[in-house]
Amino acid sequence: MVTSFTVKSVATFISKEKRLGRFRDLVSLSSMENQTKDKIYFYYNHTDSCNSARWTARESYKFMYERPWQDVLHFFSNVVNARLTLSTVFGTDNSPQTYIDVVDDDYKTLELCDEKEERFGRWERVTFKIILSYSGYAFDGWQKQPGLNTVQEIVEKSLGRFVDDKKARLLKEKSKPLEGCAVVAGRTDKGVSAIRQVCSFYTWRKDVKPCDIEGEINSAAPGKLRVVSVSEVSRVFHPNFSAKWRRYLYIFPLNDQENEKQCCENVKEVESFSFARNCNEPSNKCVESSSSENVENLIIGNNKEFEAPNKPTCFSVCRVNQLLRHLEGKLLSYNMFARDTKASRNIGPPTECFMYHARAAEARIPCSVHEEGRKVMCVELVANRFLRKMVRVLVATSIREAAAGAEEDVLLKLMEATCRRATAPPAPPDGLCLVDVGYTDFNPKNCLIP
């Protein structure tokens, strides 16, 4: 009887708990629905005259992503596979392929000096400079990560064939795969393409030839990853630390209904919208503290308060160019234009970049739908270094500010903001491409956009 009573009690207890659990789930679901309805959004309190014409983060994201990105991806794929060159877009001979060979002059000179001296220790090793071209859509970025298809993983697996016997033995003892070590000039994010990415690999084997490395990597992912060149360089060469500048190109596709005439009318549209908004709607300047980020100058409200149906929906390419040119020749902190960076790299010198060249221009890329090609805006940025997602945020913010009719020095003013909500969300990675990396002083004559 005791056993039967105990089992019955347990069954009753479990039944009650299940009912109680379902009740808790219903309460939790109802609470979540109420939270969604009453969700509070934080907006940066821009104090300039075009504040009301500026897109919210959601509006900016929608404007950026509702584009024919497949045309840009197809173009980058053709460039990666050497079916097209960047001169196809710009109609000039300033394509990186025409002058890139000069970057190794300093290191070839050092190589000759090394040959005069007896090699021993680490100087006995042979260092190879590998220039790669790859399509961003096919990879989960450069950096090797568990379970992801990355460029670094494919390259290092291919280089495993050329490691020396000592390293191969150590890897076997540690039960690690036979892979080489590739040091890169700059890691690219998922979806970002590269035309002349630079990496290096060294080995103590003397029988390795550049053509062997090229063939091994080319066979790993044909059509997606291609070796542009392999050359033996000085042992002091480092793809990242030896680099003096990096060049990125962002191609932003323009919709069929967008044309320069419409964009030139944007100023009147902004002025009329801003006047009506400022007269009819008071600004909300309530600020609430937050432990996760600096919320000084933030506005709190629901999403509908700041998303208006009549905001400007087009921008001028020439206006974007004017905004970007204010960055040239200056050493500035781009902390507000970075994303996902470590706290230790959010202040001081780690955030500073020197922009050699920043221009935007309208161009056309080959397109199957249009005989004359797809109209695009090209943004060329050359700097000594770039922060994480900096190019994409800079492009998106420049477009947003151009559409809002902001002043020419607005990008400089945004660098003094108190939190990153002041800038726009990153533009899609599909349009970004690492063009090349330079190891001699930057020459302005070699720009894609004059």
Side-chain angles (χ1 to χ4, degrees):
M1 292 293 293
V2 175
T3 305
S4 176
F5 177 78
T6 304
V7 171
K8 184 177 180 180
S9 300
V10 171
T12 304
F13 175 77
I14 292 175
S15 178
K16 288 182 178 179
E17 282 297 309
K18 286 183 177 180
R19 289 196 298 270
L20 181 60
R22 285 195 292 269
F23 174 74
R24 288 171 178 167
D25 291 341
L26 290 174
V27 173
S28 176
L29 181 60
S30 176
S31 176
M32 289 177 62
E33 290 178 350
N34 291 334
Q35 288 178 3
T36 302
K37 293 178 181 179
D38 301 331
K39 187 174 181 180
I40 297 299
Y41 293 85
F42 287 81
Y43 297 91
Y44 190 81
N45 184 20
H46 297 276
T47 57
D48 55 355
S49 59
C50 59
N51 181 28
S52 56
R54 189 173 279 110
W55 300 329
T56 64
R58 180 179 296 187
E59 290 169 336
S60 180
Y61 181 92
K62 183 178 180 181
F63 184 84
M64 295 292 162
Y65 276 82
E66 292 183 350
R67 300 275 154 179
W69 289 107
Q70 66 278 1
D71 294 335
V72 179
L73 294 175
H74 184 65
F75 172 74
F76 280 146
S77 178
N78 284 329
V79 175
V80 166
N81 290 284
R83 292 189 288 265
L84 292 173
T85 64
L86 293 182
S87 59
T88 306
V89 178
F90 300 100
T92 64
D93 294 330
N94 286 347
S95 177
Q97 288 86 336
T98 61
Y99 61 85
I100 195 68
D101 293 337
V102 303
V103 301
D104 283 337
D105 287 349
D106 292 343
Y107 297 101
K108 288 179 180 178
T109 303
L110 291 172
E111 182 71 24
L112 295 175
C113 296
D114 294 341
E115 292 177 355
K116 297 179 181 179
E117 301 178 0
E118 184 180 356
R119 299 177 181 178
F120 59 90
R122 72 183 182 92
W123 294 98
E124 291 188 76
R125 71 188 189 191
V126 182
T127 302
F128 292 96
K129 176 188 174 185
I130 308 171
I131 300 180
L132 300 171
S133 186
Y134 52 84
S135 298
Y137 74 88
F139 300 100
D140 296 307
W142 167 270
Q143 188 174 5
K144 183 162 53 178
Q145 302 177 65
L148 296 180
N149 180 37
T150 64
V151 182
Q152 183 181 13
E153 181 179 13
I154 293 178
V155 171
E156 291 189 342
K157 282 184 178 180
S158 302
L159 295 175
R161 174 187 164 189
F162 308 107
V163 301
D164 52 274
D165 295 337
K166 182 179 179 181
K167 183 172 182 177
R169 186 169 59 254
L170 290 174
L171 291 173
K172 185 176 180 180
E173 291 175 356
K174 296 180 180 180
S175 300
K176 293 185 177 181
L178 185 61
E179 296 178 346
C181 178
V183 181
V184 72
R187 295 174 293 181
T188 52
D189 292 331
K190 178 180 178 180
V192 178
S193 301
I195 298 178
R196 304 186 77 89
Q197 171 72 279
V198 180
C199 66
S200 68
F201 161 74
Y202 67 82
T203 179
W204 270 264
R205 285 177 51 178
K206 303 297 188 294
D207 60 335
V208 179
K209 298 179 180 179
C211 59
D212 298 332
I213 296 177
E214 181 176 349
E216 193 69 20
I217 297 178
N218 281 338
S219 62
K224 302 174 182 177
L225 172 65
R226 182 177 67 91
V227 175
V228 178
S229 67
V230 181
S231 58
E232 185 177 343
V233 294
S234 169
R235 289 139 194 82
V236 301
F237 174 77
H238 192 285
N240 187 9
F241 302 142
S242 300
K244 294 189 176 182
W245 52 265
R246 295 152 175 85
R247 183 200 315 271
Y248 278 93
L249 177 69
Y250 195 96
I251 298 182
F252 185 80
L254 302 175
N255 289 325
D256 295 335
Q257 65 271 22
E258 293 175 338
N259 56 60
E260 194 65 27
K261 182 178 180 181
Q262 287 178 330
C263 293
C264 289
E265 296 174 354
N266 186 42
V267 177
K268 296 181 180 179
E269 186 180 353
V270 171
E271 290 177 351
S272 60
F273 177 83
S274 299
F275 177 79
R277 182 73 179 250
N278 291 333
C279 290
N280 298 328
E281 296 187 16
S283 61
N284 181 356
K285 296 187 178 180
C286 176
V287 177
E288 183 177 299
S289 61
S290 172
S291 58
S292 60
E293 70 173 316
N294 186 351
V295 295
E296 183 182 351
N297 292 332
L298 288 186
I299 304 174
I300 301 177
N302 63 51
N303 208 42
K304 294 181 180 179
E305 290 182 54
F306 298 92
E307 291 188 355
N310 299 320
K311 286 185 180 180
T313 57
C314 61
F315 68 96
S316 169
V317 175
C318 61
R319 186 61 175 178
V320 173
N321 183 56
Q322 291 173 349
L323 299 181
L324 292 173
R325 291 187 66 173
H326 282 266
L327 306 178
E328 291 184 349
K330 299 181 180 72
L331 179 65
L332 301 168
S333 172
Y334 286 85
N335 179 39
M336 292 298 110
F337 294 89
R339 296 292 187 273
D340 305 332
T341 55
K342 296 180 181 179
S344 60
R345 300 184 65 84
N346 287 344
I347 56 174
T351 69
E352 294 177 351
C353 307
F354 186 88
M355 191 71 68
Y356 291 102
H357 185 75
R359 300 294 173 96
E362 188 175 311
R364 290 186 181 271
I365 59 175
C367 175
S368 57
V369 180
H370 305 281
E371 291 185 4
E372 66 277 13
R374 165 72 63 186
K375 187 166 60 174
V376 299
M377 178 185 71
C378 295
V379 176
E380 181 185 12
L381 299 176
V382 184
N384 64 333
R385 59 197 292 267
F386 289 91
L387 307 182
R388 183 170 173 79
K389 298 185 180 179
M390 171 180 153
V391 176
R392 292 163 56 192
V393 175
L394 196 54
V395 170
T397 304
S398 299
I399 293 175
R400 184 194 71 179
E401 298 303 320
E407 297 178 356
E408 287 192 11
D409 61 345
V410 64
L411 298 180
L412 298 177
K413 292 180 179 178
L414 285 173
M415 293 180 182
E416 302 174 359
T418 54
C419 81
R420 290 174 176 174
R421 293 175 189 266
T423 53
D430 304 354
L432 184 58
C433 177
L434 172 62
V435 177
D436 56 350
V437 183
Y439 297 92
T440 57
D441 293 337
F442 175 70
N443 185 356
K445 295 182 179 180
N446 292 329
C447 295
L448 295 171
I449 303 177

